[in-house]
Amino acid sequence: MSWKETAAPVLTRMPTVARPEGHVPFRRKLGWTAGVLVLYFFLTNVYLFGTGGPSSDPYGQFRSILAGGQGTVLHLGIGPIVTASIVLQLLGGANLLGLDTSNPRDQALYQGLQKLLVVVMICLTGLPMVFLGGMIQPNTQLGAQLGVGAVGVQWLIFAQLFVGGLLVLFMDEVISKWGVGSGIGLFIIAGVSQRLIGGLIQWEGISQGGQVGFFVAWFKILTGQIPIGPPLSQQGLEAIFLGSGQIVALFTTVLIFVIVVYAESVRVEIPLSHAKVRGARGRFPVKLIYASVLPMILVRALQANIQFIGRILYGQIGEQMPNWLGVYRTTQAGLQPTGGLFYYFAPIRSQDWISALSTQPGEILLRIGVDLSFMVLGGALFAMFWVETTDMGPEATAKQIQDSGMQIPGFRRNPGVMEKVLERYIPQVTVIGGALVGLLAVGANMLGTIGGVSGTGLLLTVSITYKLYEEIAEEQLMEMHPVMRDMFG
């Protein structure tokens, strides 16, 4: 008996959001999307009941990518969903699942397996946060008042994290089936946009590490409320470009917007013609960022999980941890690695290298090399996995073009022939695009961005917003011309 037959009774009965029957009007889709986003913002402001004492955020520098809110019921954010996707990507890439997603039954098993893995990851992430790493401190006085002790309060906190993780899972599914775009993408846009707006107009530096918004900072610089020293001195120039003035951060933010929008428009267009309708022609675009920037979430999530494991180990063995593995110290941002493997596998940011480059050039260059290699190679690898597991590879794409009645002019109408033509472009473009996104993410992180948004978070936001715009335009076109909706199913 195969594993599919054994697990089918469980996987096919996993709770799911029902698919709409028939066409969902565009306005209703916008309504569902807006409703879920309002619920998301509401939940990111509902703080965990039963916490006490200082709590640290293991996802601090990854928060803009993994969404959610520190210390709230959505503390885990999309982390469990992304981690489950990494596991499925690796299993699918190694062809260990044996599932054909074009088969309705196998597709149901795949979706059930994904939900089951998300539940497992919620437990594997939430339990160590509450019970092992000391990252979320329980309120012992509340435990004494309720008569359940500190352990009882810890279980109460974990229950809230568990419910929050499930809510994120089902909110994502509601948007995917009833709304516009994907829930994961919209949650990332929501979190990053909130930080970007704060990075421009925030009056008091609370959430940006004590730094006020860009426009507010310049108002205070011009009125003398923020001293920067002589403008043409080294101190003044550093304050204007790298410090309170945030000129470099603004330049990096604008540059990332421009590069991503331009990269989204760079493509190789393969001409197509209809086999039966004379004059009906089209083009199949192979974009430079063919796999989109979504695989970059998987790369950064893998990096976040490595840092999470380091925090758990340090929380258990403390100073007894070998120095080659990790050295930690407490900073304003919480517990941070300062040496060892976990230090070198952490993403490098502007505050990590600019001041230390003159005193520790070898260490900084090694960190840059490790982070760059991790992101470039990881971006290319996960982009390839993403293309194959989402039916965007040459074989699946050739079959889709064949089924639509189209063919490449000058070539025999055969899926094998079409696949060979697509193999000239898709694999190479996928690798180049994934590596390019990884390079951009590291560069943006090193230079800094407005609002303290990570380079990867900004890349994701711009790309997801661009694709959301394209999807909304397509939805409006289908709404205006029902005949086209019938043609494209």
Side-chain angles (χ1 to χ4, degrees):
M1 181 181 293
S2 66
W3 75 268
K4 292 193 290 186
E5 296 174 353
T6 306
V10 175
L11 298 182
T12 55
R13 288 177 173 82
M14 294 293 290
T16 185
V17 176
R19 288 190 175 275
E21 296 181 1
H23 172 65
V24 181
F26 180 62
R27 288 187 179 180
R28 188 180 299 175
K29 285 188 174 185
L30 287 182
W32 277 106
T33 304
V36 171
L37 278 178
V38 170
L39 178 60
Y40 169 80
F41 279 120
F42 173 75
L43 292 174
T44 54
N45 287 279
V46 177
Y47 288 89
L48 294 168
F49 176 73
T51 58
S55 299
S56 59
D57 187 4
Y59 292 145
Q61 52 191 321
F62 303 97
R63 179 57 67 187
S64 60
I65 306 166
L66 300 181
Q70 179 183 357
T72 68
V73 293
L74 298 189
H75 186 79
L76 301 181
I78 63 174
I81 301 177
V82 175
T83 308
S85 296
I86 292 175
V87 175
L88 281 178
Q89 288 270 337
L90 296 176
L91 292 175
N95 200 23
L96 297 177
L97 295 177
L99 294 175
D100 180 11
T101 52
S102 62
N103 184 308
R105 179 172 175 78
D106 282 4
Q107 189 176 26
L109 291 176
Y110 184 87
Q111 293 172 352
L113 179 60
Q114 186 177 32
K115 283 191 173 68
L116 182 62
L117 278 176
V118 171
V119 173
V120 172
M121 293 305 168
I122 290 173
C123 296
L124 291 180
T125 308
L127 287 172
M129 278 188 186
V130 179
F131 291 96
L132 295 181
M135 303 170 204
I136 301 179
Q137 299 290 341
N139 188 332
T140 54
Q141 294 181 352
L142 177 64
Q145 293 174 3
L146 298 177
V148 296
V151 176
V153 177
Q154 285 177 315
W155 279 110
L156 176 62
I157 295 172
F158 170 72
Q160 296 172 74
L161 292 176
F162 186 82
V163 172
L166 290 181
L167 285 173
V168 171
L169 173 63
F170 287 110
M171 286 192 297
D172 171 53
E173 194 172 358
V174 167
I175 289 184
S176 299
K177 294 180 178 179
W178 292 86
V180 181
S182 72
I184 290 178
L186 286 175
F187 300 153
I188 292 174
I189 292 175
V192 172
S193 300
Q194 192 175 29
R195 297 192 66 173
L196 277 176
I197 293 172
L200 291 172
I201 63 174
Q202 182 171 277
W203 189 262
E204 295 296 335
I206 299 174
S207 62
Q208 312 298 339
Q211 195 170 47
V212 297
F214 176 81
F215 295 117
V216 177
W218 272 99
F219 172 77
K220 292 188 174 184
I221 288 173
L222 295 175
T223 56
Q225 299 179 51
I226 297 181
I228 62 171
L232 297 180
S233 66
Q234 181 179 354
Q235 178 187 356
L237 292 175
E238 286 183 359
I240 290 174
F241 285 94
L242 300 174
S244 304
Q246 306 177 58
I247 294 296
V248 173
L250 179 66
F251 173 77
T252 306
T253 303
V254 175
L255 183 64
I256 290 296
F257 270 87
V258 173
I259 290 176
V260 173
V261 172
Y262 174 74
E264 288 285 355
S265 64
V266 175
R267 63 191 69 189
V268 176
E269 294 187 333
I270 300 174
L272 298 174
S273 63
H274 202 282
K276 297 181 179 179
V277 181
R278 180 175 297 180
R281 295 185 177 274
R283 294 180 182 274
F284 178 76
V286 181
K287 294 184 178 181
L288 175 59
I289 309 180
Y290 182 69
S292 79
V293 297
L294 293 180
M296 197 51 58
I297 303 178
L298 306 180
V299 184
R300 280 302 192 198
L302 181 60
Q303 206 169 23
N305 286 322
I306 292 173
Q307 298 302 313
F308 181 54
I309 292 171
R311 294 282 294 275
I312 294 174
L313 288 175
Y314 185 81
Q316 291 301 295
I317 61 180
E319 300 296 335
Q320 297 178 358
M321 178 183 284
N323 289 342
W324 64 266
L325 190 59
V327 178
Y328 287 82
R329 66 180 175 89
T330 303
T331 64
Q332 291 183 348
L335 198 64
Q336 297 294 330
T338 58
L341 285 178
F342 290 115
Y343 169 71
Y344 286 102
F345 274 105
I348 188 165
R349 297 167 296 175
S350 57
Q351 58 265 39
D352 297 330
W353 70 277
I354 293 177
S355 59
L357 186 60
S358 58
T359 58
Q360 301 170 312
E363 180 180 305
I364 296 302
L365 291 176
L366 181 58
R367 280 199 67 186
I368 293 174
V370 171
D371 195 24
L372 197 60
S373 301
F374 192 92
M375 292 297 290
V376 170
L377 296 177
L381 182 63
F382 276 107
M384 291 170 63
F385 279 150
W386 184 270
V387 165
E388 290 301 324
T389 56
T390 54
D391 291 336
M392 294 171 62
E395 182 180 356
T397 303
K399 186 176 183 303
Q400 293 167 13
I401 294 175
Q402 176 83 4
D403 293 341
S404 68
M406 304 295 283
Q407 67 180 46
I408 301 176
F411 291 88
R412 188 159 46 91
R413 191 170 182 269
N414 181 282
V417 174
M418 203 175 301
E419 181 183 347
K420 289 181 179 180
V421 175
L422 294 174
E423 282 178 348
R424 300 177 188 174
Y425 304 99
I426 291 180
Q428 293 86 343
V429 171
T430 300
V431 171
I432 293 172
L436 174 64
V437 171
L439 180 64
L440 288 174
V442 174
N445 252 21
M446 291 179 62
L447 294 175
T449 54
I450 291 293
V453 179
S454 68
T456 312
L458 186 59
L459 277 169
L460 290 169
T461 301
V462 179
S463 181
I464 294 170
T465 304
Y466 187 89
K467 290 185 179 300
L468 187 62
Y469 164 76
E470 290 183 331
E471 187 168 339
I472 289 175
E474 183 180 337
E475 288 282 347
Q476 288 180 318
L477 181 65
M478 298 295 181
E479 198 78 13
M480 293 170 61
H481 303 282
V483 176
M484 294 190 66
R485 185 168 67 239
D486 295 335
M487 286 177 59
F488 290 99

